[in-house]
Short mmCIF file of all heavy atoms in Angstrom, two decimals:
data_model
loop_
_atom_site.label_atom_id
_atom_site.label_comp_id
_atom_site.label_asym_id
_atom_site.label_seq_id
_atom_site.Cartn_x
_atom_site.Cartn_y
_atom_site.Cartn_z
N LYS D 604 5.39 116.65 167.89
CA LYS D 604 6.23 115.89 166.98
C LYS D 604 5.28 115.10 166.09
O LYS D 604 4.33 114.50 166.57
CB LYS D 604 7.08 114.89 167.75
CG LYS D 604 8.22 115.53 168.49
CD LYS D 604 9.03 114.44 169.20
CE LYS D 604 10.16 115.04 169.95
NZ LYS D 604 10.21 114.62 171.34
N LEU D 605 5.57 115.09 164.82
CA LEU D 605 4.74 114.33 163.89
C LEU D 605 5.36 112.97 163.71
O LEU D 605 6.54 112.85 163.38
CB LEU D 605 4.64 115.06 162.53
CG LEU D 605 3.81 114.34 161.47
CD1 LEU D 605 2.36 114.25 161.89
CD2 LEU D 605 3.94 115.02 160.14
N LEU D 606 4.54 111.91 163.91
CA LEU D 606 5.04 110.55 163.75
C LEU D 606 4.43 109.95 162.51
O LEU D 606 3.22 110.00 162.32
CB LEU D 606 4.64 109.69 164.93
CG LEU D 606 5.40 109.81 166.25
CD1 LEU D 606 6.88 109.60 166.00
CD2 LEU D 606 5.14 111.11 166.94
N ILE D 607 5.27 109.38 161.67
CA ILE D 607 4.75 108.72 160.50
C ILE D 607 5.26 107.28 160.52
O ILE D 607 6.45 107.02 160.61
CB ILE D 607 5.25 109.41 159.20
CG1 ILE D 607 4.80 110.87 159.21
CG2 ILE D 607 4.71 108.68 157.98
CD1 ILE D 607 5.30 111.66 158.03
N VAL D 608 4.29 106.34 160.48
CA VAL D 608 4.65 104.94 160.53
C VAL D 608 4.30 104.33 159.18
O VAL D 608 3.17 104.49 158.70
CB VAL D 608 3.87 104.21 161.65
CG1 VAL D 608 4.38 102.79 161.79
CG2 VAL D 608 3.98 104.97 162.94
N THR D 609 5.28 103.70 158.57
CA THR D 609 5.00 103.08 157.27
C THR D 609 4.73 101.61 157.48
O THR D 609 4.93 101.06 158.55
CB THR D 609 6.18 103.27 156.31
OG1 THR D 609 7.35 102.83 156.98
CG2 THR D 609 6.33 104.72 155.91
N GLU D 610 4.29 100.98 156.40
CA GLU D 610 3.85 99.61 156.47
C GLU D 610 4.96 98.68 156.95
O GLU D 610 4.71 97.72 157.67
CB GLU D 610 3.38 99.17 155.07
CG GLU D 610 2.69 97.83 155.10
CD GLU D 610 1.95 97.57 153.81
OE1 GLU D 610 2.29 98.24 152.80
OE2 GLU D 610 1.05 96.74 153.80
N ASP D 611 6.21 98.97 156.58
CA ASP D 611 7.29 98.06 156.94
C ASP D 611 7.82 98.29 158.35
O ASP D 611 8.85 97.76 158.73
CB ASP D 611 8.43 98.21 155.93
CG ASP D 611 8.97 99.62 155.89
OD1 ASP D 611 8.40 100.49 156.57
OD2 ASP D 611 9.98 99.86 155.20
N GLY D 612 7.12 99.10 159.13
CA GLY D 612 7.52 99.27 160.51
C GLY D 612 8.57 100.35 160.73
O GLY D 612 9.17 100.43 161.80
N THR D 613 8.81 101.18 159.75
CA THR D 613 9.74 102.29 159.97
C THR D 613 8.95 103.48 160.51
O THR D 613 7.87 103.81 160.03
CB THR D 613 10.39 102.70 158.63
OG1 THR D 613 10.90 101.54 158.00
CG2 THR D 613 11.50 103.70 158.88
N VAL D 614 9.50 104.08 161.54
CA VAL D 614 8.84 105.24 162.15
C VAL D 614 9.73 106.44 161.91
O VAL D 614 10.94 106.38 162.13
CB VAL D 614 8.65 105.03 163.66
CG1 VAL D 614 7.88 106.19 164.26
CG2 VAL D 614 7.95 103.73 163.93
N ARG D 615 9.13 107.51 161.45
CA ARG D 615 9.90 108.75 161.33
C ARG D 615 9.29 109.77 162.27
O ARG D 615 8.08 109.99 162.27
CB ARG D 615 9.86 109.27 159.90
CG ARG D 615 10.72 108.46 158.97
CD ARG D 615 10.68 109.03 157.56
NE ARG D 615 11.61 108.31 156.71
CZ ARG D 615 11.35 107.10 156.19
NH1 ARG D 615 10.20 106.51 156.44
NH2 ARG D 615 12.25 106.50 155.43
N CYS D 616 10.14 110.36 163.08
CA CYS D 616 9.66 111.32 164.07
C CYS D 616 10.12 112.71 163.63
O CYS D 616 11.30 113.05 163.72
CB CYS D 616 10.26 110.95 165.42
SG CYS D 616 9.91 112.11 166.71
N TYR D 617 9.18 113.48 163.10
CA TYR D 617 9.50 114.85 162.67
C TYR D 617 9.33 115.77 163.87
O TYR D 617 8.25 116.02 164.31
CB TYR D 617 8.54 115.28 161.54
CG TYR D 617 8.80 114.55 160.24
CD1 TYR D 617 8.28 113.27 160.04
CD2 TYR D 617 9.57 115.11 159.26
CE1 TYR D 617 8.51 112.58 158.88
CE2 TYR D 617 9.83 114.43 158.08
CZ TYR D 617 9.31 113.17 157.88
OH TYR D 617 9.55 112.48 156.73
N TYR D 618 10.48 116.26 164.33
CA TYR D 618 10.42 116.90 165.65
C TYR D 618 10.22 118.41 165.60
O TYR D 618 10.04 119.03 166.62
CB TYR D 618 11.67 116.57 166.46
CG TYR D 618 12.98 116.73 165.72
CD1 TYR D 618 13.54 117.98 165.64
CD2 TYR D 618 13.60 115.64 165.10
CE1 TYR D 618 14.73 118.15 164.93
CE2 TYR D 618 14.77 115.81 164.40
CZ TYR D 618 15.34 117.07 164.31
OH TYR D 618 16.50 117.24 163.62
N ASP D 619 10.32 119.04 164.47
CA ASP D 619 10.26 120.50 164.54
C ASP D 619 9.30 121.14 163.52
O ASP D 619 9.44 122.33 163.23
CB ASP D 619 11.63 121.09 164.42
CG ASP D 619 12.27 120.75 163.06
OD1 ASP D 619 11.66 119.97 162.33
OD2 ASP D 619 13.34 121.29 162.77
N LEU D 620 8.39 120.37 162.97
CA LEU D 620 7.45 120.89 161.96
C LEU D 620 8.14 121.32 160.69
O LEU D 620 7.53 121.86 159.80
CB LEU D 620 6.67 122.11 162.50
CG LEU D 620 5.70 121.93 163.66
CD1 LEU D 620 4.98 123.23 163.91
CD2 LEU D 620 4.69 120.84 163.35
N GLN D 621 9.44 121.13 160.61
CA GLN D 621 10.15 121.68 159.46
C GLN D 621 10.77 120.59 158.59
O GLN D 621 11.59 120.87 157.73
CB GLN D 621 11.24 122.64 159.91
CG GLN D 621 10.78 123.80 160.73
CD GLN D 621 9.75 124.66 159.99
OE1 GLN D 621 9.70 124.68 158.77
NE2 GLN D 621 8.94 125.38 160.75
N GLY D 622 10.39 119.37 158.83
CA GLY D 622 10.86 118.34 157.93
C GLY D 622 12.12 117.62 158.39
O GLY D 622 12.59 116.73 157.72
N ASP D 623 12.70 118.02 159.51
CA ASP D 623 13.82 117.25 160.04
C ASP D 623 13.26 116.10 160.85
O ASP D 623 12.33 116.29 161.62
CB ASP D 623 14.68 118.13 160.97
CG ASP D 623 15.27 119.29 160.22
OD1 ASP D 623 15.53 119.13 159.01
OD2 ASP D 623 15.43 120.37 160.82
N PHE D 624 13.85 114.93 160.66
CA PHE D 624 13.26 113.81 161.38
C PHE D 624 14.34 112.87 161.89
O PHE D 624 15.49 112.88 161.44
CB PHE D 624 12.27 113.06 160.50
CG PHE D 624 12.92 112.35 159.35
CD1 PHE D 624 13.35 111.04 159.45
CD2 PHE D 624 13.08 113.01 158.12
CE1 PHE D 624 13.94 110.40 158.37
CE2 PHE D 624 13.67 112.36 157.06
CZ PHE D 624 14.11 111.06 157.17
N THR D 625 13.97 112.05 162.89
CA THR D 625 14.82 110.94 163.31
C THR D 625 14.04 109.66 163.08
O THR D 625 12.87 109.57 163.45
CB THR D 625 15.15 111.02 164.82
OG1 THR D 625 13.92 111.20 165.53
CG2 THR D 625 16.08 112.17 165.13
N PRO D 626 14.64 108.68 162.46
CA PRO D 626 13.93 107.44 162.18
C PRO D 626 14.24 106.35 163.19
O PRO D 626 15.30 106.38 163.85
CB PRO D 626 14.48 107.05 160.80
CG PRO D 626 15.87 107.59 160.80
CD PRO D 626 15.94 108.73 161.81
N PHE D 627 13.36 105.43 163.36
CA PHE D 627 13.68 104.18 164.05
C PHE D 627 12.74 103.11 163.55
O PHE D 627 11.75 103.42 162.86
CB PHE D 627 13.61 104.34 165.58
CG PHE D 627 12.25 104.69 166.14
CD1 PHE D 627 11.40 103.68 166.58
CD2 PHE D 627 11.84 106.00 166.23
CE1 PHE D 627 10.16 104.01 167.12
CE2 PHE D 627 10.61 106.32 166.76
CZ PHE D 627 9.75 105.33 167.19
N THR D 628 13.03 101.86 163.85
CA THR D 628 12.17 100.79 163.34
C THR D 628 11.50 100.09 164.51
O THR D 628 12.02 100.07 165.63
CB THR D 628 12.95 99.75 162.53
OG1 THR D 628 14.02 99.34 163.33
CG2 THR D 628 13.48 100.33 161.24
N LEU D 629 10.36 99.49 164.21
CA LEU D 629 9.61 98.84 165.26
C LEU D 629 10.16 97.48 165.63
O LEU D 629 10.17 97.07 166.77
CB LEU D 629 8.16 98.70 164.85
CG LEU D 629 7.33 99.98 164.83
CD1 LEU D 629 5.94 99.70 164.31
CD2 LEU D 629 7.27 100.59 166.21
N GLY D 630 10.65 96.76 164.60
CA GLY D 630 11.15 95.42 164.87
C GLY D 630 10.02 94.49 165.30
O GLY D 630 8.85 94.73 164.98
N HIS D 631 10.35 93.46 166.05
CA HIS D 631 9.35 92.49 166.54
C HIS D 631 8.47 91.95 165.42
O HIS D 631 7.26 91.78 165.59
CB HIS D 631 8.46 93.14 167.61
CG HIS D 631 9.20 93.55 168.83
ND1 HIS D 631 9.74 92.67 169.73
CD2 HIS D 631 9.51 94.80 169.28
CE1 HIS D 631 10.35 93.32 170.70
NE2 HIS D 631 10.24 94.62 170.45
N GLY D 632 9.01 91.78 164.25
CA GLY D 632 8.24 91.18 163.16
C GLY D 632 7.39 92.15 162.38
O GLY D 632 6.59 91.75 161.55
N ALA D 633 7.57 93.44 162.61
CA ALA D 633 6.76 94.42 161.89
C ALA D 633 7.03 94.34 160.39
O ALA D 633 6.15 94.57 159.58
CB ALA D 633 7.06 95.82 162.41
N GLU D 634 8.28 93.99 160.06
CA GLU D 634 8.64 93.98 158.64
C GLU D 634 7.89 92.89 157.88
O GLU D 634 7.36 93.13 156.80
CB GLU D 634 10.14 93.77 158.54
CG GLU D 634 10.77 94.59 157.47
CD GLU D 634 12.26 94.71 157.70
OE1 GLU D 634 12.67 94.85 158.88
OE2 GLU D 634 13.00 94.63 156.73
N GLU D 635 7.84 91.68 158.47
CA GLU D 635 7.19 90.57 157.75
C GLU D 635 5.66 90.76 157.70
O GLU D 635 5.04 90.56 156.69
CB GLU D 635 7.47 89.24 158.42
CG GLU D 635 8.93 88.87 158.53
CD GLU D 635 9.45 89.10 159.91
OE1 GLU D 635 9.25 88.23 160.78
OE2 GLU D 635 10.04 90.18 160.15
N HIS D 636 5.11 91.14 158.84
CA HIS D 636 3.65 91.11 158.92
C HIS D 636 3.03 92.42 158.52
O HIS D 636 1.85 92.49 158.24
CB HIS D 636 3.22 90.72 160.34
CG HIS D 636 3.72 89.40 160.74
ND1 HIS D 636 3.21 88.22 160.25
CD2 HIS D 636 4.74 89.03 161.55
CE1 HIS D 636 3.87 87.19 160.74
NE2 HIS D 636 4.82 87.65 161.54
N GLY D 637 3.80 93.47 158.55
CA GLY D 637 3.27 94.76 158.13
C GLY D 637 2.46 95.42 159.21
O GLY D 637 1.80 94.79 160.01
N VAL D 638 2.54 96.74 159.24
CA VAL D 638 1.76 97.50 160.20
C VAL D 638 0.40 97.76 159.60
O VAL D 638 0.29 98.15 158.44
CB VAL D 638 2.45 98.85 160.52
CG1 VAL D 638 1.63 99.66 161.50
CG2 VAL D 638 3.85 98.60 161.06
N LEU D 639 -0.65 97.54 160.38
CA LEU D 639 -2.00 97.82 159.87
C LEU D 639 -2.44 99.23 160.27
O LEU D 639 -2.91 99.98 159.44
CB LEU D 639 -2.98 96.81 160.48
CG LEU D 639 -2.94 95.38 159.96
CD1 LEU D 639 -4.08 94.58 160.53
CD2 LEU D 639 -3.01 95.37 158.43
N GLU D 640 -2.30 99.50 161.56
CA GLU D 640 -2.83 100.77 162.06
C GLU D 640 -2.04 101.18 163.28
O GLU D 640 -1.38 100.36 163.91
CB GLU D 640 -4.30 100.60 162.48
CG GLU D 640 -5.31 100.95 161.42
CD GLU D 640 -6.71 100.90 162.03
OE1 GLU D 640 -7.14 99.82 162.46
OE2 GLU D 640 -7.35 101.97 162.07
N CYS D 641 -2.14 102.46 163.66
CA CYS D 641 -1.49 102.92 164.87
C CYS D 641 -2.46 103.78 165.65
O CYS D 641 -3.33 104.43 165.09
CB CYS D 641 -0.25 103.75 164.54
SG CYS D 641 1.00 102.81 163.66
N ARG D 642 -2.28 103.76 166.97
CA ARG D 642 -3.03 104.67 167.83
C ARG D 642 -2.03 105.44 168.67
O ARG D 642 -1.10 104.84 169.23
CB ARG D 642 -3.98 103.90 168.76
CG ARG D 642 -5.10 103.19 168.04
CD ARG D 642 -6.25 104.13 167.68
NE ARG D 642 -7.36 103.40 167.13
CZ ARG D 642 -7.53 103.15 165.84
NH1 ARG D 642 -6.62 103.57 164.96
NH2 ARG D 642 -8.58 102.47 165.40
N PHE D 643 -2.23 106.72 168.77
CA PHE D 643 -1.23 107.56 169.42
C PHE D 643 -1.77 108.11 170.74
O PHE D 643 -2.96 108.38 170.86
CB PHE D 643 -0.85 108.75 168.52
CG PHE D 643 -0.21 108.29 167.23
CD1 PHE D 643 -0.97 107.90 166.15
CD2 PHE D 643 1.16 108.28 167.13
CE1 PHE D 643 -0.36 107.47 164.99
CE2 PHE D 643 1.78 107.87 165.96
CZ PHE D 643 1.00 107.46 164.88
N TRP D 644 -0.88 108.30 171.70
CA TRP D 644 -1.23 109.11 172.85
C TRP D 644 -0.18 110.20 173.01
O TRP D 644 0.70 110.34 172.15
CB TRP D 644 -1.43 108.26 174.08
CG TRP D 644 -0.21 107.79 174.79
CD1 TRP D 644 0.47 108.46 175.75
CD2 TRP D 644 0.49 106.54 174.62
NE1 TRP D 644 1.55 107.71 176.18
CE2 TRP D 644 1.59 106.55 175.50
CE3 TRP D 644 0.29 105.44 173.80
CZ2 TRP D 644 2.48 105.50 175.60
CZ3 TRP D 644 1.19 104.40 173.89
CH2 TRP D 644 2.25 104.42 174.77
N SER D 645 -0.23 110.94 174.12
CA SER D 645 0.56 112.15 174.21
C SER D 645 2.06 111.92 174.04
O SER D 645 2.77 112.78 173.56
CB SER D 645 0.28 112.87 175.51
OG SER D 645 0.51 111.98 176.58
N SER D 646 2.54 110.76 174.45
CA SER D 646 4.00 110.61 174.37
C SER D 646 4.39 109.25 173.78
O SER D 646 5.51 108.82 173.95
CB SER D 646 4.62 110.75 175.76
OG SER D 646 4.12 109.74 176.59
N GLY D 647 3.49 108.59 173.11
CA GLY D 647 3.85 107.30 172.55
C GLY D 647 2.75 106.78 171.63
O GLY D 647 1.76 107.46 171.40
N PHE D 648 2.94 105.56 171.13
CA PHE D 648 1.89 104.99 170.32
C PHE D 648 1.95 103.47 170.35
O PHE D 648 2.92 102.88 170.82
CB PHE D 648 1.95 105.50 168.87
CG PHE D 648 3.10 104.95 168.07
CD1 PHE D 648 2.95 103.78 167.31
CD2 PHE D 648 4.33 105.59 168.06
CE1 PHE D 648 4.01 103.29 166.57
CE2 PHE D 648 5.40 105.10 167.32
CZ PHE D 648 5.23 103.94 166.57
N VAL D 649 0.88 102.86 169.86
CA VAL D 649 0.84 101.41 169.72
C VAL D 649 0.55 101.09 168.27
O VAL D 649 -0.30 101.74 167.64
CB VAL D 649 -0.26 100.81 170.61
CG1 VAL D 649 -0.36 99.30 170.40
CG2 VAL D 649 -0.01 101.12 172.08
N ALA D 650 1.30 100.15 167.72
CA ALA D 650 1.08 99.75 166.35
C ALA D 650 0.48 98.35 166.33
O ALA D 650 0.87 97.48 167.11
CB ALA D 650 2.39 99.76 165.59
N LEU D 651 -0.51 98.17 165.47
CA LEU D 651 -1.15 96.86 165.30
C LEU D 651 -0.58 96.23 164.04
O LEU D 651 -0.61 96.84 162.96
CB LEU D 651 -2.66 97.03 165.19
CG LEU D 651 -3.49 95.76 164.92
CD1 LEU D 651 -3.46 94.82 166.09
CD2 LEU D 651 -4.92 96.14 164.56
N LEU D 652 -0.04 95.02 164.16
CA LEU D 652 0.57 94.37 163.02
C LEU D 652 -0.43 93.45 162.35
O LEU D 652 -1.52 93.16 162.86
CB LEU D 652 1.78 93.54 163.45
CG LEU D 652 2.90 94.28 164.18
CD1 LEU D 652 4.10 93.37 164.32
CD2 LEU D 652 3.28 95.54 163.44
N GLY D 653 -0.03 92.96 161.18
CA GLY D 653 -0.90 92.07 160.40
C GLY D 653 -1.23 90.80 161.15
O GLY D 653 -2.29 90.21 160.91
N ASN D 654 -0.39 90.36 162.03
CA ASN D 654 -0.68 89.14 162.77
C ASN D 654 -1.24 89.44 164.16
O ASN D 654 -1.14 88.63 165.07
CB ASN D 654 0.58 88.29 162.88
CG ASN D 654 1.69 89.04 163.56
OD1 ASN D 654 1.58 90.25 163.78
ND2 ASN D 654 2.75 88.35 163.92
N ASN D 655 -1.82 90.62 164.28
CA ASN D 655 -2.45 91.05 165.55
C ASN D 655 -1.47 91.28 166.69
O ASN D 655 -1.90 91.44 167.82
CB ASN D 655 -3.53 90.05 166.01
CG ASN D 655 -4.84 90.33 165.33
OD1 ASN D 655 -4.89 91.11 164.38
ND2 ASN D 655 -5.90 89.69 165.79
N HIS D 656 -0.19 91.22 166.42
CA HIS D 656 0.74 91.59 167.50
C HIS D 656 0.69 93.09 167.70
O HIS D 656 0.42 93.85 166.77
CB HIS D 656 2.16 91.16 167.12
CG HIS D 656 2.39 89.70 167.26
ND1 HIS D 656 3.63 89.13 167.35
CD2 HIS D 656 1.50 88.67 167.32
CE1 HIS D 656 3.51 87.83 167.47
NE2 HIS D 656 2.22 87.52 167.44
N LEU D 657 0.94 93.48 168.92
CA LEU D 657 0.89 94.89 169.25
C LEU D 657 2.26 95.35 169.73
O LEU D 657 2.89 94.70 170.56
CB LEU D 657 -0.13 95.13 170.37
CG LEU D 657 -1.58 94.85 169.97
CD1 LEU D 657 -2.43 94.65 171.20
CD2 LEU D 657 -2.11 96.00 169.13
N ILE D 658 2.71 96.46 169.18
CA ILE D 658 4.02 96.99 169.59
C ILE D 658 3.82 98.38 170.17
O ILE D 658 3.21 99.23 169.53
CB ILE D 658 4.98 97.05 168.41
CG1 ILE D 658 5.19 95.64 167.85
CG2 ILE D 658 6.31 97.64 168.84
CD1 ILE D 658 5.97 95.62 166.57
N ALA D 659 4.33 98.57 171.39
CA ALA D 659 4.17 99.88 172.04
C ALA D 659 5.50 100.62 172.05
O ALA D 659 6.55 100.03 172.27
CB ALA D 659 3.66 99.69 173.46
N VAL D 660 5.43 101.92 171.79
CA VAL D 660 6.59 102.78 171.94
C VAL D 660 6.23 103.82 172.97
O VAL D 660 5.20 104.49 172.82
CB VAL D 660 6.96 103.45 170.60
CG1 VAL D 660 8.10 104.44 170.80
CG2 VAL D 660 7.33 102.42 169.56
N ASN D 661 7.04 103.91 174.03
CA ASN D 661 6.64 104.75 175.16
C ASN D 661 7.22 106.15 175.12
O ASN D 661 6.75 107.03 175.79
CB ASN D 661 7.04 104.10 176.48
CG ASN D 661 6.05 103.06 176.87
OD1 ASN D 661 4.86 103.33 176.96
ND2 ASN D 661 6.50 101.82 177.03
N ARG D 662 8.32 106.31 174.41
CA ARG D 662 8.92 107.63 174.34
C ARG D 662 9.64 107.76 173.03
O ARG D 662 10.02 106.76 172.42
CB ARG D 662 9.87 107.83 175.52
CG ARG D 662 10.88 106.71 175.67
CD ARG D 662 11.43 106.67 177.04
NE ARG D 662 12.62 107.53 177.13
CZ ARG D 662 13.54 107.39 178.08
NH1 ARG D 662 13.39 106.47 179.01
NH2 ARG D 662 14.60 108.17 178.12
N TYR D 663 9.84 109.01 172.63
CA TYR D 663 10.45 109.20 171.34
C TYR D 663 11.91 109.61 171.42
O TYR D 663 12.64 109.51 170.46
CB TYR D 663 9.68 110.26 170.53
CG TYR D 663 8.24 109.83 170.28
CD1 TYR D 663 7.19 110.63 170.62
CD2 TYR D 663 7.99 108.58 169.70
CE1 TYR D 663 5.87 110.24 170.40
CE2 TYR D 663 6.69 108.17 169.47
CZ TYR D 663 5.63 109.01 169.84
OH TYR D 663 4.34 108.60 169.61
N ASP D 664 12.36 110.08 172.60
CA ASP D 664 13.77 110.48 172.67
C ASP D 664 14.68 109.26 172.66
O ASP D 664 15.75 109.29 172.10
CB ASP D 664 14.04 111.36 173.90
CG ASP D 664 13.53 110.74 175.17
OD1 ASP D 664 12.71 109.79 175.07
OD2 ASP D 664 13.92 111.17 176.24
#
Side-chain angles (χ1 to χ4, degrees):
Chain D
K604 286 182 180 127
L605 179 65
L606 283 304
I607 301 176
V608 187
T609 52
E610 189 166 20
D611 60 355
T613 310
V614 184
R615 286 182 175 77
C616 174
Y617 290 83
Y618 48 83
D619 62 353
L620 294 185
Q621 302 301 337
D623 298 329
F624 67 91
T625 50
F627 63 93
T628 53
L629 287 176
H631 297 290
E634 219 161 321
E635 302 102 82
H636 301 286
V638 178
L639 287 187
E640 266 187 298
C641 298
R642 293 280 186 271
F643 297 83
W644 79 87
S645 56
S646 62
F648 72 91
V649 176
L651 176 68
L652 303 190
N654 58 350
N655 276 11
H656 284 199
L657 293 161
I658 300 172
V660 175
N661 279 305
R662 52 200 270 201
Y663 299 127
D664 52 345

